[in-house]
């Protein structure tokens, strides 16, 4: 996937230094420097409401990208995408609660919100082919899904399949 031509707004949280938020902050910082993207960082629910009120007026014709770390901010932006057709909305999915519940505790709230969010969000960006397949199997999502492999270099746009084959060849099987 190439960086969209035009205007891009990256939305993240101020407390993002580890996990998906750390990835989001690193990607946002890099894209903002190289491709002149704008960043909006939020820390409270009031910040989110201000941003939602600001987007339709201050960011016309933008590609708006938010990372899924929790479901409240993406859900609010998903609802906004239903009425704001001047912008294109993207959700970067870093995990699937319904799949993760097999090996870690997951909030019931997340299990209720996730299906609606995945089915209704206009565009999804998955961090692996596995994630894309699971989203298709669990939620029937087939369209408007892009895969950007975790750790793929944004500058070079390395194909995730070649990255995986290189990784497999550099680590021989252990018997």
């Amino acid at each position: 996937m190439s960086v969209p031509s035009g205007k891009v707004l990256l939305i993240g949280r101020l407390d993002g230094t580890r996990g998906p938020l750390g990835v989001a902050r690193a990607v946002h910082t890099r894209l903002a420097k190289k491709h002149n993207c704008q960043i909006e960082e939020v820390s409270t629910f009031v910040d989110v409401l201000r941003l939602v009120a600001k987007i339709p007026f201050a960011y016309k014709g933008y590609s708006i990208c938010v990372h899924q770390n929790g479901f409240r901010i993406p859900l609010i932006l998903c609802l906004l995408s239903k009425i704001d057709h001047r912008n294109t909305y993207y959700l970067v999915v870093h995990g699937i609660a319904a799949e993760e519940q097999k090996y870690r505790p997951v909030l019931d709230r997340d299990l209720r919100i996730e299906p609606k969010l995945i089915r209704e969000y206009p565009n999804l960006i998955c961090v692996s082919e596995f994630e894309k397949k699971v989203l298709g199997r669990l939620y029937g999502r087939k369209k408007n899904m892009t895969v950007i492999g975790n750790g793929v270099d944004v500058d070079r746009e390395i194909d995730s399949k070649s990255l995986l084959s290189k990784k497999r060849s550099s680590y021989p099987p252990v018997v």
Side-chain angles (χ1 to χ4, degrees):
M1 176 180 137
S2 62
V3 177
S5 60
K7 303 175 272 187
V8 179
L9 173 66
L10 307 167
I11 300 172
R13 286 185 14 205
L14 286 174
D15 59 348
T17 56
R18 298 176 56 206
L21 289 178
V23 171
R25 175 168 272 183
V27 168
H28 288 182
T29 303
R30 189 169 187 184
L31 286 173
K33 286 179 185 173
K34 290 202 81 70
H35 302 286
N36 199 22
C37 300
Q38 294 190 26
I39 299 175
E40 285 278 354
E41 292 188 322
V42 294
S43 59
T44 66
F45 188 68
V46 174
D47 291 342
V48 174
L49 292 179
R50 282 187 194 129
L51 180 60
V52 167
K54 181 180 173 183
I55 285 175
F57 304 106
Y59 297 105
K60 294 177 185 171
Y62 273 69
S63 295
I64 298 174
C65 180
V66 64
H67 288 257
Q68 173 202 343
N69 186 52
F71 295 100
R72 286 175 272 183
I73 295 173
L75 186 60
I76 291 169
L77 288 171
C78 182
L79 295 173
L80 179 61
S81 75
K82 301 297 180 195
I83 57 174
D84 178 22
H85 299 288
R86 292 178 287 184
N87 296 315
T88 306
Y89 291 82
Y90 295 87
L91 173 66
V92 180
V93 181
H94 289 274
I96 305 166
E99 189 72 15
E100 292 173 7
Q101 73 176 343
K102 295 176 183 176
Y103 56 86
R104 73 170 182 89
V106 174
L107 297 173
D108 288 336
R109 173 194 72 207
D110 293 349
L111 294 172
R112 287 190 310 270
I113 296 173
E114 182 179 71
K116 180 154 184 65
L117 190 62
I118 298 301
R119 288 184 185 121
E120 298 294 325
Y121 218 91
N123 301 287
L124 297 180
I125 299 173
C126 303
V127 296
S128 70
E129 285 290 336
F130 172 77
E131 188 175 68
K132 180 180 177 182
K133 288 175 188 171
V134 171
L135 290 174
R137 179 174 44 87
L138 290 176
Y139 303 121
R141 180 72 185 242
K142 301 286 185 223
K143 294 183 179 180
N144 298 335
M145 295 175 71
T146 301
V147 176
I148 298 178
N150 243 348
V152 171
D153 191 335
V154 176
D155 291 341
R156 298 186 204 165
E157 297 181 30
I158 299 171
D159 180 45
S160 58
K161 290 178 184 172
S162 67
L163 187 69
L164 184 59
S165 67
K166 181 179 176 183
K167 184 176 178 181
R168 286 180 182 151
S169 66
S170 61
Y171 296 108
V174 176
V175 180

